[in-house]
């Protein structure tokens, strides 16, 4: 056999073929790197990176994707030739280094934080460019999303929401700022209302933003900013809702983080007169600024900050640098913004006084009273100055404040109408907590007041619709995570659920209802996490509130109750199950691990109860309610005190849940637009892209799933009725009568849209990604546009009706000609059949007459020769005449007797021929002496003619026997096919009965497998998240315990290919387990080498099975990752053969001995998928040596033949076994060996050498 020679040449050829395939392989740091496949393993592919700095690696097939040739740069990721997460990431990276930070996924904007200013990206000129332009008409931009929201609001008569999401430091705050800038500047220069809406940003950032380890301008609260419009789409006002200000930051920060910006702005930028009035010094002087004490400043403003205001760290390390933040300048901007809101200098001083009072309040410390037996405390002497300044700024009596800080008032149940008032002294830590609680209360209520002032300055009365921009803290995870992170991450879970429902779940349900036949995309539903947190019966929030109402609440008891209530829930775990070593030192009752959609976060519950209850005790609240500071008195009105007692308090968690529910209700009612912000690196520097970090964010945000959905999806749609009603008043009478759907079809065709760009559902018309320009053009409601489109529809209807008429006439003429042609063909066929039957019936008679007539020629020659005789001439002539009479009699008897047989005809011929021979003998003897030489020559020619006739007769007999033998072989083949078909049907019936018995079990296993896959993906995210956190905190990552499956520990939890995917795979794995040889570690080239050289029959067959199994896996991967815009250019077998393998999964075949392997040959019609319509069908030939293909041939009329041989062309040949192809079940497909070899050799193929003969 050919593939058993020239081994090295073929192996090198296979490797070269694989080398041409560029792929993306998973990398933990870069996300994906470009490689080439160099080896096909049993379960993985070995790849060699193109960049030599990366080492060769082995990757699972699910972590390898096809790569486009050359760098990609597309505005919309749906335009990528190969749609997968690797090409998506590469497109983002390429564009990021070109300062193209925005891309689309359908109508979702992806924004990558550049960490620097890009020239003219947000200028007023750019705003004008995007005004009124459709999505996709200009490069992606945050302005394009804002403009789309305005147009959707105007056309669809519905309020819109823009959800800006992403991790901390991804650029959400800046994106929100530019969205508002566009909404207020898009149609004209900003008026008074618009300017006040814009002024809200610097004010909110000053009081609500702070520097963290991941973001220099991190929003420590959430906000939903509504811009309200009237019927003419003019801005008439706004409203700001805020959520969950991080109060703990007011009192404590980590070493690299800062308190809220306003404290540093006041210290760095306030005039000296104001600083003296407020008693302000440098950041080092205040306990509440114990974290980072450096200012943000540039080279110019650094000189303007007085040296006395600079901290020790600032003088040693210098200023913090950021392209956006500058504490000195921002104070000036803040002061001007407050003035534009309508605040007087007195009002601003009141605000600054409370901010300064919080700083001074933090400097009040406490010490024990030596002689106090009750364990009380007092304000330390060193804090007297701070106490005095605080009281002056707050407008309270120093003695009363001192008393309220070191003691609290309690009221007993008995002793009069209102009970007896008892003064209870506080310990040092209790007094410190009371001080911090007062500081948090003052600052948080000041923040509420500022937001209320902003809302008062931008009122709206005649609002028809609004556009809301949501900016809320992104998913957070730190080494120490407390109640604030828990609430923030809960909010992000709700937003992710909203995204999943609106973009993935509801979208796919709509496609099903409208009958669009879009493939279903699987995604991880995080409803179980939300239930874990907010369930009314035993959710974490509910358990926390119940614990807070106990007489002596305990964090350890609360944590124990949480673990007890959710002990078997996958999403909740013990701290020791964390992958970060720092979390594993926590005891079980000190925290819990929640596996969020973005990764596992370990929460320390020590302060959960305190932070969930932010109420002041009665002494402090009564004190501030009676103060002389008018602003502070407004913040704590005396008549608003809620009923006291643990059973009546409203927790922070409950308030946040209520606010979040109201927000989600708003979002559900509005049209929604999404902006996904991506953090390119963890160092917050420009021109650096960490692929692994970006990929994790894309996957966690669900954007990868959206990309898969949009490969076949339709993100834009409009109901037929709405579109028709928009144009109805402009339609002429002949078009008004059209049904809505017919009108829509005519309109879209009149606009020259391709049928691939849109699709009609049951009630709506849908548009593919990237067709927003066309979609907006038909929805533009101005009269000129509507009339222009109506004119096009009329022209298209007239043209289409005329074309249909012409085509109908042409079809009728073509049908008439076809009928005539078929009648003519039928007559010709009848004539040919009748002639064939007549010739078949009379062939023996006229062939016999022809043979006898040939004797007449010999007789004539005999007479001619006899004329030359001198003696005996008359005798010879008489004998010849007698021969003539015998010939005539024989011909007459043949003609008259229609039933004469071939044997009788041969006997007549034999008699006449014998007599003729006798005459010839007599003639020879008489001419022997006279004309010896001449006569001998003539006799030889006669003898040759007779011999040729005999040979012809023998050849005819041989052909007749060969035809009969071929008929017999084909009859045997058909009988064998029918027997195999009966056997197959019987086997299928047995399999069906067995499948019904196993169906319930397999469904349960499939559900378990799907759940287990989600758990594995969650484990992978947890690991990546732990690695990122470890890199930031110099911690260590350890492997967590393996995932529990079906009640047992699974040691292969991190190997996705270990999952049992189906009954067929399970059976194959069992069969492989029973094999004599373990080939799982053999390389692809080693398998081919063994096939080419081994004489071990069992090893040879095992190698062939494993070789073809790997080919199936490789081709399945290529089919999954093929280009979207191309057809199957390299079809390895006809479509019917490949479909047979997918529709009827093969059973495990018994092992065939090579020595007894049967050679079978097949031929079926074949047309390539990308062939033109009028192309004639070709033929596909296959030669199977046992169960596997040995030779393959394609013959097309207009193309050269394609001949493939196993061992040389494996990558282009059919990889299926004979049973999988279904060829044995196709009637008439099997042919004889001689027929295959005839075509094979005719087209230049070399003869096939039998494998069995070589081995034997």
């Amino acid at each position: 056999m050919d593939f058993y020679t020239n081994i090295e040449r073929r192996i090198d050829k296979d490797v070269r073929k694989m080398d041409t395939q560029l792929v993306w392989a998973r990398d933990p740091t870069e996300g994906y790197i470009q490689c080439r496949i160099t080896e096909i393993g049993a379960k993985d592919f070995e790849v060699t990176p193109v960049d030599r700095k990366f080492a060769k690696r082995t990757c699972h097939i699910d972590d390898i994707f096809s790569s486009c040739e050359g760098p990609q740069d597309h505005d919309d990721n749906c335009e990528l030739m190969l749609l997968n997460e690797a090409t998506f990431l590469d497109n983002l990276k390429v564009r990021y280094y070109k300062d193209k930070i925005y891309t689309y996924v359908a109508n979702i904007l992806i924004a990558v934080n550049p960490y620097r200013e890009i020239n003219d990206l947000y200028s007023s000129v750019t705003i004008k460019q995007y005004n009124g332009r459709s999505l996709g008409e200009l490069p992606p931009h945050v302005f394009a999303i804002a403009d789309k929201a305005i147009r959707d609001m105007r056309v669809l008569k519905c309020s819109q929401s823009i959800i800006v999401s992403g991790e901390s430091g991804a650029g959400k705050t800046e994106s929100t700022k530019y969205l508002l800038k566009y909404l207020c500047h898009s149609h004209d220069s900003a008026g008074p209302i618009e300017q006040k809406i814009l002024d809200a940003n610097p004010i909110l950032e000053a009081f609500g933003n702070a520097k963290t380890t991941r973001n220099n301008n991190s929003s420590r609260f959430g906000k939903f900013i509504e811009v309200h419009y009237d019927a003419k789409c003019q801005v008439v006002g706004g409203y700001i809702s805020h959520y969950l200000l991080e109060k703990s930051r007011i009192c404590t920060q980590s070493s690299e983080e800062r308190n809220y910006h306003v404290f540093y702005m006041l210290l760095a930028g306030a005039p000296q007169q104001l600083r003296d009035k407020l008693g302000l010094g440098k950041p080092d002087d205040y306990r509440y600024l114990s974290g980072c004490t450096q200012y943000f400043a540039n080279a110019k403003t650094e000189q303007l900050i007085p040296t006395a205001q600079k901290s020790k760290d600032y003088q040693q390390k210098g200023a913090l640098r950021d392209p956006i933040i500058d504490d000195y300048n921002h104070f000036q901007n803040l002061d001007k913004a407050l003035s534009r809101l309508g605040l007087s200098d007195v009002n601003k001083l009141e605000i600054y006084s409370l901010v300064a009072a919080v700083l001074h309040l933090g400097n009040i410390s406490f010490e024990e009273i030596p002689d106090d037996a009750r364990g009380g405390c007092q304000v330390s002497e060193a804090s007297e100055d701070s106490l005095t300044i605080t009281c002056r700024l707050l407008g309270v009596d120093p003695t009363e404040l001192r008393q309220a800080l070191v003691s609290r008032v309690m009221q007993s149940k008995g002793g009069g109408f209102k009970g007896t008032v008892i003064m209870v002294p506080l310990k040092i830590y209790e007094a410190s907590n009371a001080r911090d609680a007062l500081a948090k209360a003052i600052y948080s209520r000041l923040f509420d007041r500022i937001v209320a002032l902003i809302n008062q300055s931008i009122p709206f009365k005649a609002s028809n619709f609004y556009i809301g921009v949501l900016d809320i803290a992104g998913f957070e995870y730190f080494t120490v995570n407390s109640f604030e992170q828990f609430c923030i991450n809960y909010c992000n879970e709700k937003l992710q659920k909203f995204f999943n429902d609106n973009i993935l779940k509801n979208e796919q349900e709509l496609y099903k209802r409208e009958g669009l036949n879009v493939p279903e995309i699987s995604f991880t539903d995080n409803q179980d996490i939300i239930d874990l947190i907010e369930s009314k019966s035993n959710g974490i929030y509910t358990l926390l509130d119940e614990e807070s109402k106990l007489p002596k609440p305990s964090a350890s008891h609360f944590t124990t109750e949480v673990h007890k209530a959710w002990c078997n829930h996958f999403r909740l775990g013990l701290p020791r199950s964390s992958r970060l070593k720092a979390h594993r030192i926590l005891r079980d009752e000190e925290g819990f691990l929640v596996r969020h959609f973005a990764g596992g976060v370990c929460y320390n519950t020590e302060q959960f109860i305190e932070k969930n209850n932010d109420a002041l005790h009665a002494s402090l609240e009564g004190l501030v309610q009676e103060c002389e500071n008018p602003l502070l008195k407004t913040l704590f009105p005396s008549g608003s005190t809620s009923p006291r007692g643990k059973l009546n308090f409203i927790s922070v968690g409950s308030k946040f849940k209520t606010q979040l529910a109201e927000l989600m209700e708003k979002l559900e009612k509005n049209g929604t637009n999404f902006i996904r912000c991506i953090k390119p690196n963890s160092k917050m520097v420009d021109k650096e892209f960490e692929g692994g970090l970006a990929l994790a964010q894309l996957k966690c945000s669900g954007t990868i799933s959206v990309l898969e959905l949009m490969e076949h999806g339709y993100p834009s749609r409009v109901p037929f009725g709405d579109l028709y009603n928009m144009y109805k008043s402009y339609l002429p009478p002949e078009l008004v009568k059209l049904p809505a759907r017919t009108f829509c079809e005519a309109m879209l065709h009149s606009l020259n849209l391709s049928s691939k760009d849109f699709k009609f559902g049951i009630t709506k018309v849908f548009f593919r990604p990237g067709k927003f320009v066309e979609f907006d053009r038909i929805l533009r409601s101005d009269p000129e546009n509507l009339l222009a489109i109506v004119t096009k529809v009329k022209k298209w209807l007239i043209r289409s009706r005329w074309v249909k008429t012409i085509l109908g006439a042409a079809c009728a003429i073509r049908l008439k000609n076809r009928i005539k042609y078929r009648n003519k063909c039928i007559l010709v066929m009848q004539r040919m059949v009748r002639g064939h039957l007549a010739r078949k019936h009379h062939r023996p008679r006229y062939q016999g007459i022809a043979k006898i007539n040939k004797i007449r020629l010999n007789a004539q020659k005999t007479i001619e020769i006899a004329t030359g005789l001198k003696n005996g001439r008359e005798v010879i002539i008489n004998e010849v005449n007698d021969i003539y009479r015998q010939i005539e009699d024989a011909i007459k008897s043949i003609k008259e007797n229609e039933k004469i047989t071939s044997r009788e005809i041969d006997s007549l011929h034999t008699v006449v021929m014998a007599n003729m021979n006798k005459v010839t003998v007599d003639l020879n003897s008489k001419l022997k002496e006279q004309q010896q030489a001449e006569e001998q020559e003539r006799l030889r020619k006669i003898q040759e003619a007779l011999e040729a006739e005999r040979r012809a007769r023998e050849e005819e007999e041989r052909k007749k026997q060969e035809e009969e033998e071929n008929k017999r072989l084909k009859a045997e083949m058909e009988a064998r096919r029918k027997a195999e078909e009966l056997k197959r049907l019987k086997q299928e019936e047995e399999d069906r009965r067995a499948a019904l018995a196993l169906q319930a079990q397999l469904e349960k296993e499939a559900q378990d497998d799907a759940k287990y896959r989600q758990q594995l993906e969650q484990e992978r995210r947890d690991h990546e998240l732990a690695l990122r956190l470890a890199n930031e905190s110099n911690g260590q990552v350890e492997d967590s315990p393996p995932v529990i499956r079906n009640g047992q520990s699974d040691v292969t939890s991190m190997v996705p290919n270990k999952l049992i995917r189906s009954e067929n795979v399970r059976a194959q794995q069992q069969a492989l387990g029973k094999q004599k040889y373990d080939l799982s570690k053999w390389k692809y080239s080693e398998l081919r080498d063994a096939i080419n050289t081994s004489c071990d029959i069992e090893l040879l067959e095992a190698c062939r099975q494993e070789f073809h199994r790997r080919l199936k896996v490789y081709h399945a991967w290529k089919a999954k990752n093929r280009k979207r815009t191309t057809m199957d250019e390299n079809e390895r077998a006809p479509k019917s053969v490949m479909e047979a393998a997918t529709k009827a999964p093969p059973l495990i075949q018994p092992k065939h001995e090579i020595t007894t392997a049967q050679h079978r040959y097949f031929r079926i019609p074949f047309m390539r998928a990308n062939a033109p319509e009028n192309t004639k069908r070709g033929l596909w030939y296959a030669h199977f040596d046992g169960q596997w293909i040995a030779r393959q041939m394609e013959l097309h009329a207009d193309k050269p033949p394609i001949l493939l041989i196993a061992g040389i062309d494996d990558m282009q040949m059919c990889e299926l076994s004979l049973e999988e192809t279904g060829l044995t079940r196709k009637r008439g497909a099997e042919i004889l060996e001689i027929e295959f070899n005839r075509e094979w050799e005719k087209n230049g193929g070399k003869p096939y050498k039998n494998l069995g003969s070589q081995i034997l």
Side-chain angles (χ1 to χ4, degrees), residues 336-527:
K336 293 176 183 177
L338 289 173
S339 299
R340 285 194 291 266
L341 285 181
L343 298 182
S344 64
D345 291 341
V346 175
N347 298 139
K348 291 189 289 183
L349 180 60
E350 291 174 349
I351 293 174
Y352 298 149
S353 297
L354 289 185
V355 173
V358 170
L359 289 179
H360 290 296
L361 180 62
N363 283 354
I364 299 175
S365 59
F366 305 94
E367 61 185 10
E368 294 181 353
I369 303 176
D371 299 331
D372 190 353
R374 295 182 299 174
C377 66
Q378 62 184 5
V379 176
S380 64
E381 292 183 6
S383 305
E384 288 296 333
D385 292 341
S386 298
L387 179 66
T388 303
I389 298 174
T390 303
C391 292
R392 176 173 59 83
L393 295 175
L394 294 180
V396 297
D397 183 78
T399 304
E400 292 181 358
L401 179 58
R402 179 185 290 107
Q403 187 65 32
L405 288 174
V406 299
S407 63
R408 63 189 175 97
V409 175
M410 293 186 65
Q411 190 173 9
S412 65
K413 294 182 179 179
F417 181 72
K418 292 186 178 180
T420 303
V421 176
I422 304 173
M423 189 73 68
V424 180
L426 301 179
K427 295 180 173 57
I428 292 179
Y429 77 90
E430 292 176 330
S432 299
N433 290 341
R435 176 202 62 205
D436 293 345
L438 178 59
K440 294 175 185 177
I442 292 173
Y443 190 86
S444 63
R445 295 202 184 196
L446 175 62
F447 186 79
D448 295 343
R449 179 61 180 167
I450 290 173
V451 174
L453 289 172
I454 294 173
N455 288 334
Q456 290 174 13
S457 69
I458 50 175
F460 56 90
K461 296 180 180 179
S463 172
N464 288 59
F465 308 103
Y466 69 86
I467 295 177
V469 180
L470 178 63
D471 173 20
I472 205 159
F475 180 77
E476 288 193 347
Y477 53 95
F478 301 103
T479 305
V480 178
N481 302 285
S482 190
F483 184 71
E484 294 86 0
Q485 283 71 45
F486 182 76
C487 293
I488 289 171
N489 293 340
Y490 162 63
C491 175
N492 280 272
E493 291 286 357
K494 295 283 284 187
L495 291 176
Q496 184 65 28
K497 174 66 176 174
F498 177 78
F499 177 82
N500 289 344
D501 288 346
N502 281 268
I503 301 298
L504 298 174
K505 184 179 179 181
N506 295 346
E507 191 83 0
Q508 295 189 73
E509 290 177 355
L510 175 64
Y511 293 161
K512 289 181 181 178
R513 289 198 305 270
E514 294 288 334
L516 297 187
N517 195 26
V518 174
E520 188 171 353
I521 301 300
S522 60
F523 62 94
T524 302
D525 191 353
N526 64 335
Q527 182 61 46

Side-chain angles (χ1 to χ4, degrees), residues 131 147 150 154 182-189 229 233-234:
N131 191 0
D147 191 78
I150 295 175
R154 183 172 58 245
Y182 186 89
L183 295 177
C184 295
H185 286 85
S186 57
H187 294 287
D188 229 330
S189 59
Y229 296 82
C233 292
Q234 299 294 323

Side-chain angles (χ1 to χ4, degrees), residues 664-839:
M664 301 311 295
E665 187 177 354
K666 283 184 179 180
L667 297 180
E668 290 287 352
K669 293 179 181 178
N670 297 349
T672 311
N673 302 274
F674 290 94
I675 298 177
R676 293 299 201 190
C677 298
I678 302 298
K679 186 176 181 178
N681 60 75
S682 55
K683 300 176 184 176
M684 295 186 290
V685 296
D686 63 330
K687 295 295 182 180
E688 185 172 329
F689 191 90
E690 296 177 9
L693 176 64
L695 180 63
Q697 296 173 75
L698 292 171
K699 296 185 77 171
C700 291
S701 65
T703 312
I704 298 296
S705 299
V706 175
L707 184 70
E708 295 177 10
L709 179 62
M710 287 302 109
E711 181 178 1
H712 307 282
Y714 301 84
S716 302
R717 75 290 310 264
V718 61
F720 299 136
D722 293 355
L723 197 58
Y724 176 74
N725 292 332
M726 186 185 297
Y727 288 84
K728 188 174 181 180
S729 59
Y730 297 92
L731 296 178
E734 63 270 19
L735 295 184
V736 173
K737 300 177 183 180
L738 289 176
R741 181 188 177 104
T742 305
F743 170 76
C744 293
E745 291 179 355
M747 179 174 60
L748 295 179
H749 288 297
S750 68
L751 295 174
N752 297 323
L753 291 179
S754 171
S755 59
K756 296 179 180 179
D757 297 338
F758 63 90
K759 198 167 187 178
F760 287 95
I762 299 174
T763 61
K764 297 180 177 68
V765 58
F766 294 81
F767 289 81
R768 292 282 291 137
K771 299 301 173 184
F772 300 106
V773 176
E774 292 81 358
F775 179 70
D776 288 338
R777 185 167 61 178
I778 66 174
L779 290 182
R780 196 175 300 153
S781 55
D782 54 283
E784 294 181 0
N785 179 65
L786 296 178
L787 288 173
I789 291 180
V790 168
T791 304
K792 289 184 178 181
V793 171
K794 289 174 63 178
K795 289 182 180 178
W796 184 86
L797 284 174
I798 295 171
R799 188 186 303 111
S800 63
R801 288 169 181 168
W802 183 83
V803 170
K804 286 179 181 178
T805 303
I806 297 301
L807 290 177
C811 290
I813 294 171
R814 188 179 297 172
L815 182 61
K816 182 191 72 173
N817 294 337
R818 180 166 292 182
I819 291 172
K820 288 183 178 180
Y821 174 73
R822 287 185 176 178
N823 288 338
K824 183 178 178 181
C825 291
I826 290 173
L827 292 176
V828 172
M829 289 172 63
Q830 289 176 346
R831 185 172 72 248
M832 297 299 291
V833 169
R834 290 194 189 100
H836 171 72
L837 294 175
R839 285 190 295 274

Side-chain angles (χ1 to χ4, degrees), residues 1040-1051:
S1040 63
V1043 178
I1044 302 301
R1045 183 181 187 187
N1046 297 332
Q1048 297 180 352
S1049 180
D1050 190 345
V1051 296

